[in-house]
Amino acid sequence: MTDTFTSDATDDILCVAVDAALLAVNVIMSAKDRQISSEHKGKTDLVTEIDRAAESIIISSIKDHFPFHSILAEESGKQDEKSDILWVIDPLDGTTNFVHGYPAFAVSIGVLINGVPTIGVVVEMPNINLYTAIKGKGAFVEGKPISVSTTSDLIQSLLVTGFGYEHGDNWNTNMDLFKSFTHKTQGVRRLGAAAVDICHVACGKVDGYWEFDLSPWDSAAGIIIAAEAGAMITRMDGGEYSIYDDQILISNGQLHDRMLQEIKVYL
Ligand code: IPD
Ligand code: CA
Ligand code: CA
């Protein structure tokens, strides 16, 4: 089906996305201090009943308002209604952190319109920060505008990266990159929640982020927020980034070429 988009339509979608994300936050935060059993999707890739409960409340909430939109969600896969609007959902980004009580996890909901990332909502937890953006309308945390840092020297920068669950060639390359960037910057952090990492670039807490092997739901919301905050987003080889790519580089813009140069040595 074909939908028509006005500024009001994107505002409406953002409202539904925020409400859905906050319902999931309630589910997650009220379970945070309980003993949660986890299952293994892979050797170290965990899923809990809370990931599933959060996803189900998000999807019901979207369907109540937009029954014909398409959905791609981490735990339940794709529900393709052939709409021009695709909701891409990570109900709990940073499940491993959540299970261990490590304080960096998030709900992430991105909306693509005709394939273009257009609306993003990330709620960072357990210290709640609600990040929102609509393409062309700026990025916000808790309603206040945010922008990337102005650091232009690599040696002055603080970076963040992540390591996926597959320990193959990309993982090895990233170990080398981690070492190299750690040597040439003020440090590289590794939080374990990609949506949070990306929002931290957006609000200038870190100056750049890269990672291999993300899934679409890890980056779909964050890239809109980061782009609207002034970030530059490409593949790690400098090419145009899509949420279906297996590599991403996000920076404050000023450090982008310098980071690409560094990464090129190891790709
Ligand atoms: C993971 C986190 C982690 C990243 C992994 C993701 P999950 O998401 O974002 O930081 O390194 O690649 O899969 O499994 O906790 O939703
Ligand atoms: Ca994730
Ligand atoms: Ca997840």
Side-chain angles (χ1 to χ4, degrees):
M1 98 182 253
T2 303
D3 304 84
T4 329
F5 305 105
T6 58
S7 179
D8 285 353
T10 52
D11 285 342
D12 288 349
I13 292 173
L14 178 69
C15 282
V16 172
V18 168
D19 287 348
L22 293 177
L23 288 172
V25 166
N26 272 339
V27 169
I28 296 163
M29 290 298 284
S30 54
K32 166 174 86 62
D33 298 319
R34 275 202 276 127
Q35 186 72 30
I36 305 294
S37 57
S38 53
E39 291 163 39
H40 286 253
K41 288 199 275 190
K43 195 167 156 219
T44 52
D45 189 359
L46 303 178
V47 62
T48 70
E49 67 195 82
I50 303 305
D51 296 64
R52 295 198 180 102
E55 182 162 306
S56 140
I57 207 162
I58 292 169
I59 292 177
S60 320
S61 184
I62 295 167
K63 289 212 164 289
D64 281 350
H65 293 87
F66 304 115
F68 302 115
H69 286 186
S70 299
I71 290 176
L72 172 63
E74 179 173 10
E75 309 307 338
S76 54
K78 189 147 189 183
Q79 298 180 28
D80 194 351
E81 299 291 347
K82 309 269 179 280
S83 164
D84 298 335
I85 305 186
L86 174 66
W87 293 70
V88 185
I89 302 161
D90 191 336
L92 177 49
D93 183 48
T95 297
T96 308
N97 288 344
F98 171 74
V99 167
H100 288 266
Y102 185 81
F105 43 94
V107 173
S108 172
I109 304 178
V111 181
L112 276 67
I113 301 183
N114 291 318
V116 180
T118 305
I119 294 142
V121 173
V122 171
V123 188
E124 181 180 1
M125 294 170 280
N127 294 323
I128 306 285
N129 280 308
L130 167 65
Y131 297 88
T132 53
I134 298 178
K135 190 172 164 55
K137 292 188 174 181
F140 302 86
V141 62
E142 297 291 327
K144 296 188 204 82
I146 50 172
S147 57
V148 292
S149 69
T150 53
T151 312
S152 56
D153 279 350
L154 201 54
I155 193 65
Q156 304 290 342
S157 71
L158 183 66
L159 305 179
V160 65
T161 187
F163 293 86
Y165 303 110
E166 297 299 322
H167 297 176
D169 290 347
N170 285 344
W171 187 82
N172 277 315
T173 303
N174 209 29
M175 286 292 172
D176 293 337
L177 277 171
F178 188 89
K179 189 172 169 191
S180 170
F181 276 123
T182 299
H183 184 56
K184 292 178 178 166
T185 61
Q186 293 190 350
V188 181
R189 300 294 176 254
R190 192 276 197 240
L191 282 189
V196 176
D197 297 336
I198 297 172
C199 288
H200 285 179
V201 180
C203 65
K205 283 183 176 151
V206 291
D207 308 297
Y209 160 77
W210 78 92
E211 186 159 349
F212 288 105
D213 298 331
L214 288 185
S215 296
W217 42 82
D218 296 314
S219 68
I223 56 168
I224 307 153
I225 295 162
E228 285 300 314
M232 185 169 285
I233 303 164
T234 64
R235 290 167 46 88
M236 286 161 65
D237 58 11
E240 192 181 342
Y241 176 74
S242 131
I243 59 166
Y244 304 103
D245 271 321
D246 68 345
Q247 45 166 281
I248 187 169
L249 170 64
I250 306 184
S251 78
N252 65 0
Q254 312 230 25
L255 289 171
H256 213 81
D257 284 346
R258 188 65 194 84
M259 288 185 74
L260 281 172
Q261 228 178 49
E262 200 59 38
I263 290 167
K264 202 173 166 188
V265 176
Y266 297 92
L267 277 191

